[in-house]
Amino acid sequence: MDREKKLNFFTFKWGTLYGPEYVNRLYGSIKKYCDVPFNFTCITDDSTGIRPEVLLLDYNQIGPDHWRAYGQDKIFTREKLCLFDLDIDGTKLWVDLDNLIHGDITELVSRDFEKPTFILNHWNIKKEHGMKWFGKGSDCHVNSSFVAWQDAQWLFDYTDKNLEKLMFTYKSLDKYLYYQHWRTYRLAFWEEGIVDNFNFSFPAHTYRDAAKMTLFNTSHIRIQRMGIEAFELHETEGQWPWDIWTSYDE
Amino acid sequence: MKQKVNGLGIFGQVTMNNKVNKWVEDVISLYSEAKTVAIVGMADKRNIYSWLSKHPQFDKVTMYDYDPQRADEDVVTTDVVFDIELEEDLIINYACEKMWPLGEMYKNREFILIGDDEHHNGDCNAIDSNKQLIEQNCITDIWEFNKVPRWKGHYFMVAGCN
């Protein structure tokens, strides 16, 4: 890692859901749309096929042993929070593999971040009854697909201190963040319009000029059988994201 | 037809809540020596709060709910597992299926514990038996327990001390 560079991107790839093209194209998109020198690190259990410009960290070495002792049904993707414990200067960001960046992000990543900054699901939270199920524990309007921070050690420390109770209570990272830290105003959020959602925004599957990036999460739609036509990035051939995404191979 | 079914559902729910509340009132009257009471996760139910607030035995009764939509002058909007430490002598938890067992955190207290087995999205601790409530909350002195049918399952209810 080049410590002279004060901008550090991280992404995670483990298991077989996404191939190396997701990592390579994500790197390509940031190279195209970020004018600030940066490091880009992939935390992975399989580096096969990942382009050489990408720095690598071993997924199986990330985070404390007692965090790894819990199953993946407990705070799924909690590994991301271990990045808050890394001793690296400057601005840190993590970006999910299925986040398509298609606008200039230089200004976004050059900001000062007083609080760790997450995505708020503007496309859902403003709907009528958007918070109807908050008390039931089934609401979630925080998304952790594009997160920036400078110093947020407190978030790792809080999680570690309350780990047993948090693991018991929350199945996903986003839900944990929503119920414990959105509720208590400890997080900041990107302004509405910067992040779009391919499957959830209305009208769906539409290119929006103002958006800098678009999310393609489908898990809730499929698990909850919501009856929405939903696409992962690699399923968009013939639609606008495909040409943009594949152009990042170059 | 659908409206009729919904109407019956609401009527049924009220009846079940009344059964639960009656049981709670009975066990408090029979066993509790508390002076202060915390009511957790009561949602829109206020009957027990009203009854306890008028009861001469209790100096202070406080409702807690983390849902800001339940905010009210009588309700403290907070998460009793993560945000604060309860100090009340008696803790009534209407939502055991939603949270870490409070009896694991608080010792030498009186408890009335109520949870259901409907396994909703958002339930981290679905309650499938009274034994589960007793063990999770380290209840050593069991006053009473009960099981009441609800829409798609049951309320399990335990009263006692740890």
Side-chain angles (χ1 to χ4, degrees):
Chain A
M1 181 172 288
D2 181 352
R3 288 195 174 256
E4 291 300 306
K5 293 176 181 170
K6 299 303 181 192
L7 184 60
N8 289 279
F9 287 91
F10 296 89
T11 194
F12 284 83
K13 184 182 95 67
W14 74 83
T16 55
L17 184 61
Y18 298 127
E21 73 278 11
Y22 268 89
V23 180
N24 297 338
R25 290 169 183 168
L26 181 60
Y27 173 84
S29 70
I30 294 170
K31 191 177 165 195
K32 179 171 180 179
Y33 285 116
C34 179
D35 271 346
V36 185
F38 63 87
N39 292 307
F40 183 96
T41 302
C42 179
I43 297 146
T44 185
D45 58 357
D46 181 5
S47 59
T48 308
I50 295 177
R51 60 202 288 177
E53 301 98 315
V54 175
L55 305 171
L56 299 169
L57 274 177
D58 183 355
Y59 169 76
N60 293 308
Q61 298 293 320
I62 194 83
D65 288 345
H66 62 282
W67 284 41
R68 271 184 267 121
Y70 289 91
Q72 287 292 345
D73 59 336
K74 307 290 182 189
I75 311 188
F76 182 63
T77 72
R78 60 182 175 267
E79 294 84 348
K80 292 172 174 176
L81 298 180
C82 299
L83 298 175
F84 291 110
D85 195 38
L86 293 179
D87 182 21
I88 302 170
D89 288 341
T91 298
K92 283 76 68 177
L93 298 101
W94 82 63
V95 191
D96 277 358
L97 289 175
D98 58 344
N99 182 350
L100 180 67
I101 294 171
H102 50 78
D104 196 297
I105 59 170
T106 307
E107 183 275 325
L108 295 183
V109 302
S110 302
R111 297 177 179 181
D112 283 327
F113 296 99
E114 189 183 331
K115 297 177 180 180
T117 300
F118 289 76
I119 296 166
L120 191 66
N121 292 350
H122 296 283
W123 48 87
N124 275 341
I125 198 166
K126 287 183 177 169
K127 285 182 181 171
E128 193 180 6
H129 307 307
M131 288 187 57
K132 183 179 178 184
W133 302 111
F134 186 93
K136 298 286 185 190
S138 53
D139 231 15
C140 187
H141 297 305
V142 169
N143 181 292
S144 58
S145 292
F146 187 78
V147 180
W149 73 97
Q150 276 147 353
D151 180 8
Q153 179 70 39
W154 67 265
L155 184 46
F156 176 85
D157 293 344
Y158 178 95
T159 308
D160 199 45
K161 182 181 171 193
N162 294 285
L163 194 69
E164 191 179 2
K165 288 191 283 186
L166 291 170
M167 290 288 191
F168 182 90
T169 308
Y170 301 108
K171 288 180 183 171
S172 78
L173 174 63
D174 290 351
K175 210 172 243 191
Y176 156 44
L177 294 167
Y178 181 63
Y179 276 99
Q180 287 308 318
H181 303 304
W182 174 82
R183 181 179 58 83
T184 49
Y185 308 101
R186 296 184 187 121
L187 308 179
F189 296 95
W190 305 109
E191 303 93 297
E192 187 171 4
I194 288 174
V195 183
D196 196 23
N197 191 303
F198 189 69
N199 296 311
F200 274 103
S201 293
F202 182 81
H205 314 148
T206 304
Y207 182 83
R208 291 175 177 82
D209 287 332
K212 306 285 188 188
M213 63 194 77
T214 299
L215 310 181
F216 289 79
N217 51 318
T218 60
S219 55
H220 292 89
I221 293 171
R222 290 176 180 173
I223 290 168
Q224 295 176 27
R225 297 177 187 169
M226 296 170 80
I228 298 171
E229 193 178 19
F231 300 89
E232 297 261 5
L233 244 179
H234 61 264
E235 296 169 335
T236 60
E237 194 163 1
Q239 302 184 75
W240 67 264
W242 182 262
D243 290 342
I244 295 173
W245 190 47
T246 54
S247 75
Y248 297 141
D249 282 335
E250 297 156 14
Chain B
M1 184 63 190
K2 193 175 177 185
Q3 273 188 330
K4 193 175 175 185
V5 171
N6 281 342
L8 283 171
I10 291 164
F11 175 76
Q13 194 175 337
V14 169
T15 305
M16 285 184 277
N17 286 337
N18 286 344
K19 280 187 183 174
V20 172
N21 287 337
K22 177 71 168 57
W23 183 82
V24 171
E25 288 181 16
D26 286 348
V27 292
I28 289 173
S29 299
L30 278 170
Y31 301 102
S32 177
E33 295 175 353
K35 291 289 180 193
T36 56
V37 186
I39 306 175
V40 176
M42 64 292 152
D44 56 356
K45 299 184 281 289
R46 295 289 184 274
N47 294 1
I48 287 294
Y49 175 74
S50 301
W51 179 75
L52 288 168
S53 298
K54 292 171 193 159
H55 199 295
Q57 177 180 336
F58 302 105
D59 297 335
K60 192 176 179 194
V61 183
T62 310
M63 292 185 283
Y64 298 92
D65 197 314
Y66 68 69
D67 185 351
Q69 295 167 111
R70 305 287 182 200
D72 201 340
E73 59 183 51
D74 298 328
V75 179
V76 178
T77 304
T78 194
D79 184 328
V80 298
V81 174
F82 292 100
D83 296 349
I84 59 161
E85 194 168 321
L86 293 175
E87 294 180 347
E88 287 84 349
D89 308 324
L90 167 62
I91 298 171
I92 304 172
N93 186 359
Y94 276 100
C96 292
E97 73 278 6
K98 300 283 183 204
M99 66 187 79
W100 176 265
L102 296 180
E104 178 78 20
M105 299 168 66
Y106 302 111
K107 303 298 181 193
N108 301 312
R109 309 289 180 100
E110 296 180 359
F111 284 96
I112 295 176
L113 304 161
I114 300 159
D116 73 63
D117 60 355
E118 291 191 350
H119 293 255
H120 299 113
N121 179 11
D123 290 359
C124 61
N125 187 31
I127 304 299
D128 293 310
S129 69
N130 285 321
K131 185 168 180 267
Q132 180 185 343
L133 283 174
I134 291 163
E135 289 177 352
Q136 281 188 337
N137 291 280
C138 314
I139 303 297
T140 49
D141 181 9
I142 302 164
W143 299 341
E144 287 203 17
F145 53 88
N146 204 346
K147 181 180 174 183
V148 173
R150 51 174 275 144
W151 187 36
K152 289 183 178 175
H154 307 87
Y155 285 114
F156 291 94
M157 311 190 291
V158 169
C161 308
N162 69 4

